[in-house]
Amino acid sequence: MAVENINRSKEIIEKINSDRITLEKLVHKKRLQSLQDSYSMLVRMSGLICDEYGVPITELSKYSPFCSDYCYSSTLGKKRCSQCGLQAAREAMEKKESVIYTCPVGLLNYVAPIVLDDELIGFIGGGQVLAYKVDEELVKKNALELGLDENEFLEARNLVQIIPMAAIERGAAFIYKLAGFISDLAADSFNSMELNRQAMEAAKAKADFLANMSHEIRTPMNAVLGMAQLAQRKDMSPEVKGYINQIVNAGKLLVAIVNDILDYSKIEAGKMEIIPDTYNPMIMLDEIYTMVSTRIGDKNLELIMDMDDYMPSGLYGDIVRIKQIIINLANNAVKFTEKGSVLVKAEFENIAPDLSTGQPQINLKISVQDTGIGIKDEDISKLFEAFQQVDSKRNRNVEGTGLGLAIVRKLLEAMNGHMTIKSEYGKGSTFAFVVPQKVTNSTPVGSATRESAESINADKDYIAPKARILVVDDNQINLDIVTGILEPIEMHIDTALSGKKAIEMLENTSYDLVFMDHMMPEMDGVETTRIIRRLMPQCNRMPILALTANVVSEAKQSFIDAGMNDFLPKPVEYALIKKKLKEWLPVEKIEYTDVTLLPEQKELVDIPGLDTAYAINLLGSKKIYLKVIEEYYKTLPKKVEKLKESLEKNDCRQFTIDVHALKSSSKQIGAIELSEAAAYMENLGNDEEWDTILSFAPGLFELTDKCFSILEDAITADREKNQRDAWNEENDREHSDEKGSGSDSGEQYFENRQEFFAILSDAFEGLDMDRCEELILQAKKQYKGSNPKKLEWLNAMQESIEAWDYDTCAHLMAIGQE
């Protein structure tokens, strides 16, 4: 009996715990960890989120080894830390502000409460720092109490960072705001859960009633129908046989109605499963034709099936539910159409591959068009209401529950699809739906030509010298990256720095493909694509691929809705962009080759503080990487200036756009810490958390300053090395020149002034600053004269070229030619 009581008590405790509202149930642990890590990174102190009992939920961020390796290593130490934090959290809740406290071992910490309905559901703490050195006797006393070696404990304590009290107070103020933000998240989540629970309970009660009622009706109805069908086999008078036939027909109709009710109740209860499988859409349409054609009877009605010849022959989806939807729509069309035709049309459009598997996908587009009675405009909105039939007076002789379209809508929602309706009263209707399907076999149902060609050349590399593409991005670094990466494919590549410029170029030039940046000022990629698709019919078949760092499903759907065909995640990778080009370029523009085309050898660069190996692997070559960091170094101060300007103007949208660009470009050079900080700030911008942005902005700018210093040191060292190598190479040539006449090479170089400035002018007018720099460096290497003005001119020219200062370059060019 005692054992049974213990087990029962355990069950009660487990039930209480499962029903208990906790912080971790309201806000996902990963999100809590992300917020905490970002906070610790910006304030450079530890962070930890605990539940209402002081039990940690997250992993400690930027912890002090003194705490983790010593204080937490004993049961007593852990207990003390938990009690201190919980006590301070309750005090902070009463004071409605963060509390700074000194822990038993002398470290400064601070906590802020996380609250739901005036109840403590957790707290966030930080610190593990000192404002001044702690008395050694206190450290030794704690070492003795915790059973630790005094010398080791003291040595570990001496490694704890000492931070000004003002910085600790700022950290405490920040953490209170963060705790308030988490409290708001928890409250929103709790309210949503409560509303959802109430809705689910109501839906379940209704669904249970419908299901029970339907089962109770179907059991005797099946018996009636079975007996009537047995009776049909007996000999009987024509009159009695007619009665029996009517019973069978009515019974079949009633069973169909009950099945509809069961389907609807399953969907309402969330028990309708979507079970995908591989299928051939052509075979599916043939089967539907056979089933629907039997409903026509003696009507003067033509049933037509039409499928796009290029439809992939292998799709992956729930064929049972898709057939159910098409049959429902086609049967309705036949039901409400006395003469004319019913056209079932199957088309498709390519969409972005599945994010988890990379498998190709399409939007399967089915439309059912009839020449029937049509629907009044005011009745269209009632079509999807359960148990309702529109224009009931006119359609009183038409059987049905009014559940068919309600079920269709629910099934489409379960498969991420949607429906549209067009109708003209008295003339007919068109019901169309779109549902995404994965592609298992891309061979067209009408032709296998393309797949055969692809299978033959599957292992071959390719070039596309006849192809012309357009790359649109407001960031010159990104344009340089894409054009550099695609150099081995030998395409004609044009670039545009804005959506407006892209539209101008598309009006005058025909392109095979466009890479479109997502986030751009003034007119972003989605808006630009909408304009192209709506106002430029000559570009209807031209693929547009989004370049984006946002690969979540909501962003992907906005690309598709705007008319984009696919997307390419940032930072751009050579292998993936090459794959996308092969998929979307016209077949006739691709020339296969047995030679494997690779980007430049991935030679590494060592820059302390940057993950250069990651960046070079991403970009494909050292050459592109060095060009990117030069450009990044030049533009970073302007990026920071723009961010600060947005902060001063309280322009959240512009700040989010600019910090998004900083996130991508920083990742491309291997500045991972800065990229992650920018990503966090971007998320805050998307959520319009302006106060939090203002609090964390100083930490972001500390990281930009650090990155700029790293690049400045690296670029300066690289330039000095290149200059030494150039002079050494020149000196080696001089010593090996047996004909050395001692003539002034610099003067000789400038004797043909006209030729030199002709070449330099061509490069400058073509905006080829790399070539200009090369010419100036050659001149500097050859110059050994004594004319200080010429050397001064060369140095000034080099500086203005490196700064891309076109006005100064033009001024110096004019002086040099005088």
Side-chain angles (χ1 to χ4, degrees):
M1 191 72 178
V3 173
E4 290 178 3
N5 288 337
I6 291 171
N7 289 338
R8 178 62 182 156
S9 298
K10 285 182 177 178
E11 290 175 5
I12 292 170
I13 291 169
E14 287 175 359
K15 180 69 169 65
I16 291 171
N17 287 335
S18 66
D19 292 340
R20 185 168 60 91
I21 297 299
T22 64
L23 175 59
E24 195 170 351
K25 286 181 181 177
L26 295 173
V27 185
H28 197 281
K29 182 178 178 179
K30 285 185 178 179
R31 190 166 192 186
L32 291 172
Q33 187 75 53
S34 176
L35 289 168
Q36 172 193 300
D37 289 345
S38 300
Y39 170 81
S40 291
M41 179 177 64
L42 288 170
V43 300
R44 302 178 184 278
M45 285 182 272
S46 71
L48 183 67
I49 297 177
C50 299
D51 65 14
E52 68 269 41
Y53 301 115
V55 178
I57 296 174
T58 56
E59 297 292 331
L60 195 63
S61 304
K62 282 195 174 295
Y63 57 83
S64 166
F66 176 68
C67 295
S68 61
D69 297 344
Y70 292 90
C71 299
Y72 292 169
S73 64
S74 69
T75 304
L76 178 60
K78 285 182 182 177
K79 185 178 179 181
R80 281 180 174 180
C81 291
S82 178
Q83 288 175 343
C84 284
L86 187 56
Q87 183 179 347
R90 288 170 179 162
E91 182 183 346
M93 187 174 170
E94 291 177 3
K95 291 183 175 181
K96 299 188 184 304
E97 63 181 14
S98 56
V99 168
I100 300 173
Y101 67 96
T102 304
C103 74
V105 293
L107 269 63
L108 285 173
N109 297 286
Y110 44 79
V111 297
I114 300 171
V115 180
L116 177 67
D117 289 340
D118 295 325
E119 293 289 332
L120 184 73
I121 60 171
F123 60 92
I124 178 168
Q128 295 187 351
V129 294
L130 294 169
Y132 46 83
K133 288 193 175 181
V134 178
D135 179 42
E136 291 188 6
E137 292 303 317
L138 176 63
V139 178
K140 291 178 180 179
K141 176 178 175 292
N142 277 282
L144 183 63
E145 290 173 354
L146 299 176
L148 301 170
D149 182 87
E150 289 183 4
N151 293 328
E152 287 183 6
F153 199 50
L154 182 60
E155 186 179 343
R157 197 275 315 190
N158 288 334
L159 296 176
V160 174
Q161 61 176 332
I162 298 176
I163 292 178
M165 195 64 197
I168 297 171
E169 289 172 351
R170 283 199 301 271
F174 285 169
I175 215 167
Y176 189 78
K177 288 185 179 180
L178 183 57
F181 176 70
I182 296 172
S183 298
D184 291 342
L185 287 178
D188 291 343
S189 179
F190 176 80
N191 292 335
S192 297
M193 287 170 60
E194 187 63 15
L195 290 172
N196 187 56
R197 183 188 64 79
Q198 293 173 6
M200 289 294 289
E201 285 181 356
K204 185 177 184 302
K206 181 173 69 173
D208 287 346
F209 169 76
L210 288 172
N212 291 334
M213 182 196 70
S214 300
H215 279 296
E216 291 298 321
I217 293 173
R218 190 157 64 170
T219 301
M221 196 60 239
N222 282 336
V224 171
L225 189 56
M227 291 296 181
Q229 287 174 331
L230 288 174
Q232 281 181 317
R233 302 175 187 175
K234 304 296 182 180
D235 291 331
M236 60 189 78
S237 67
E239 185 179 12
V240 173
K241 194 166 186 175
Y243 296 153
I244 296 295
N245 288 341
Q246 287 184 32
I247 291 172
V248 170
N249 290 335
K252 286 181 177 178
L253 175 61
L254 187 55
V255 170
I257 291 171
V258 171
N259 286 338
D260 277 352
I261 294 173
L262 277 173
D263 269 352
Y264 187 78
S265 63
K266 281 182 183 178
I267 293 170
E268 287 289 288
K271 296 179 181 177
M272 178 66 76
E273 292 185 16
I274 300 299
I275 305 172
D277 200 359
T278 302
Y279 68 95
N280 185 313
M282 179 65 82
I283 295 173
M284 177 188 72
L285 218 59
D286 287 342
E287 292 172 351
I288 291 170
Y289 178 85
T290 302
M291 297 171 71
V292 175
S293 60
T294 59
R295 299 293 300 268
I296 294 176
D298 57 358
K299 289 184 178 181
N300 184 20
L301 189 60
E302 182 181 12
L303 177 62
I304 305 167
M305 298 286 178
D306 181 23
M307 177 171 282
D308 188 333
D309 287 341
Y310 293 94
M311 175 79 71
S313 58
L315 299 179
Y316 184 77
D318 193 333
I319 183 175
V320 174
R321 296 304 174 191
I322 292 172
K323 282 175 68 174
Q324 181 180 353
I325 292 169
I326 299 174
I327 289 169
N328 192 304
L329 297 178
N331 281 344
N332 277 349
V334 170
K335 187 191 303 184
F336 295 102
T337 306
E338 288 299 319
K339 61 180 180 179
S341 65
V342 172
L343 170 63
V344 179
K345 193 170 185 178
E347 300 173 292
F348 77 103
E349 63 179 0
N350 291 301
I351 59 175
D354 181 77
L355 286 174
S356 58
T357 64
Q359 190 173 1
Q361 292 189 120
I362 64 164
N363 269 338
L364 179 63
K365 302 165 73 174
I366 305 291
S367 62
V368 178
Q369 182 180 349
D370 64 60
T371 56
I373 60 177
I375 308 163
K376 294 177 181 177
D377 290 342
E378 60 268 26
D379 287 335
I380 288 179
S381 60
K382 303 175 187 176
L383 284 172
F384 296 106
E385 294 178 14
F387 304 101
Q388 180 156 336
Q389 204 174 62
V390 300
D391 206 356
S392 56
K393 184 177 181 181
R394 184 182 186 189
N395 299 323
R396 61 186 180 275
N397 294 323
V398 179
E399 78 275 14
T401 59
L403 275 176
L405 289 177
I407 292 172
V408 164
R409 185 184 66 175
K410 295 285 187 180
L411 289 174
L412 284 172
E413 288 174 355
M415 294 188 289
N416 298 317
H418 62 275
M419 173 175 281
T420 58
I421 302 170
K422 293 180 182 179
S423 185
E424 188 173 350
Y425 193 63
K427 292 188 177 181
S429 307
T430 300
F431 289 75
F433 70 87
V434 176
V435 63
Q437 301 283 276
K438 294 179 182 177
V439 178
T440 59
N441 187 343
S442 58
T443 305
V445 291
S447 170
T449 306
R450 177 163 187 138
E451 184 177 4
S452 299
E454 287 181 346
S455 63
I456 292 170
N457 296 301
D459 297 325
K460 290 185 177 182
D461 217 317
Y462 71 95
I463 57 174
K466 297 178 182 178
R468 180 178 289 275
I469 70 168
L470 176 63
V471 185
V472 187
D473 199 302
D474 64 307
N475 190 324
Q476 184 63 46
I477 294 177
N478 292 336
L479 295 177
D480 291 341
I481 288 168
V482 175
T483 53
I485 285 175
L486 295 178
E487 186 178 345
I489 302 178
E490 301 180 13
M491 293 181 298
H492 299 281
I493 303 173
D494 293 337
T495 61
L497 279 164
S498 67
K500 182 180 179 182
K501 181 64 176 176
I503 290 171
E504 291 176 4
M505 295 175 73
L506 285 166
E507 287 175 346
N508 301 314
T509 308
S510 176
Y511 291 97
D512 298 302
L513 180 144
V514 172
F515 286 117
M516 181 74 68
D517 183 36
H518 173 207
M519 294 190 73
M520 295 186 289
E522 296 181 8
M523 191 162 65
D524 65 19
V526 170
E527 187 179 354
T528 304
T529 301
R530 286 199 183 103
I531 292 171
I532 293 169
R533 293 305 191 207
R534 291 176 184 175
L535 304 179
M536 305 179 75
Q538 72 273 23
C539 299
N540 281 349
R541 293 185 175 274
M542 178 189 68
I544 300 178
L545 278 63
L547 292 171
T548 179
N550 293 334
V551 292
V552 296
S553 56
E554 293 84 0
K556 182 180 74 172
Q557 189 60 47
S558 71
F559 303 152
I560 295 166
D561 293 342
M564 293 182 179
N565 303 83
D566 204 341
F567 75 92
L568 197 66
K570 285 183 177 181
V572 176
E573 295 184 48
Y574 174 75
L576 184 56
I577 195 171
K578 188 175 156 191
K579 179 183 175 184
K580 293 291 185 184
L581 281 168
K582 186 177 180 182
E583 182 180 348
W584 289 105
L585 282 176
V587 182
E588 64 273 17
K589 297 291 179 75
I590 293 176
E591 297 177 14
Y592 290 94
T593 174
D594 292 325
V595 179
T596 301
L597 301 174
L598 296 172
E600 182 186 344
Q601 185 65 31
K602 295 175 184 176
E603 183 183 351
L604 296 183
V605 178
D606 182 23
I607 302 178
L610 299 182
D611 191 345
T612 57
Y614 167 82
I616 292 173
N617 186 61
L618 191 72
L619 297 172
S621 77
K622 174 185 174 182
K623 178 182 176 183
I624 297 173
Y625 177 69
L626 292 176
K627 187 174 183 180
V628 167
I629 62 171
E630 282 272 6
E631 186 67 23
Y632 183 96
Y633 171 69
K634 293 171 187 173
T635 58
L636 182 59
K638 292 181 180 178
K639 289 179 184 291
V640 172
E641 188 179 331
K642 285 184 69 178
L643 287 168
K644 290 180 177 178
E645 186 177 327
S646 299
L647 290 172
E648 290 173 0
K649 293 180 178 178
N650 289 327
D651 190 340
C652 187
R653 181 179 179 276
Q654 188 59 48
F655 178 86
T656 306
I657 291 172
D658 293 338
V659 85
H660 168 87
L662 179 66
K663 173 189 71 174
S664 299
S665 58
S666 298
K667 196 168 188 179
Q668 284 166 336
I669 68 161
I672 305 301
E673 187 179 13
L674 176 54
S675 177
E676 290 174 352
Y680 176 64
M681 298 295 273
E682 181 190 5
N683 290 334
L684 291 176
N686 289 330
D687 294 337
E688 297 185 352
E689 294 289 336
W690 189 244
D691 289 341
T692 311
I693 287 172
L694 293 174
S695 299
F696 288 172
L700 178 71
F701 295 133
E702 280 184 27
L703 291 175
T704 57
D705 291 344
K706 177 183 174 183
C707 184
F708 186 81
S709 297
I710 289 170
L711 290 174
E712 188 170 41
D713 292 343
I715 290 171
T716 301
D718 187 58
R719 285 176 181 166
E720 289 175 354
K721 180 181 179 299
N722 290 340
Q723 194 174 36
R724 285 196 305 271
D725 292 344
W727 283 111
N728 290 336
E729 182 182 345
E730 183 67 21
N731 289 333
D732 289 343
R733 271 204 305 270
E734 281 185 20
H735 289 111
S736 63
D737 188 357
E738 295 178 358
K739 297 180 180 179
S741 61
S743 63
D744 189 337
S745 301
E747 295 299 327
Q748 186 178 3
Y749 188 88
F750 278 94
E751 277 178 8
N752 197 349
R753 182 196 299 257
Q754 187 176 358
E755 181 183 353
F756 170 75
F757 277 103
I759 298 171
L760 186 61
S761 295
D762 285 345
F764 179 70
E765 288 171 7
L767 301 181
D768 189 349
M769 303 306 278
D770 290 338
R771 176 61 175 152
C772 291
E773 188 173 16
E774 180 185 331
L775 289 167
I776 296 300
L777 286 173
Q778 285 177 1
K780 284 184 70 174
K781 282 193 292 183
Q782 293 183 27
Y783 179 72
K784 298 183 183 63
S786 58
N787 189 336
K789 288 187 177 180
K790 289 182 180 178
L791 186 57
E792 184 182 340
W793 182 87
L794 287 167
N795 289 331
M797 238 348 236
Q798 184 180 359
E799 288 177 9
S800 60
I801 288 169
E802 288 174 353
W804 288 58
D805 187 344
Y806 294 103
D807 292 338
T808 305
C809 279
H811 179 65
L812 290 169
M813 287 279 288
I815 292 173
Q817 293 180 71
E818 289 176 358

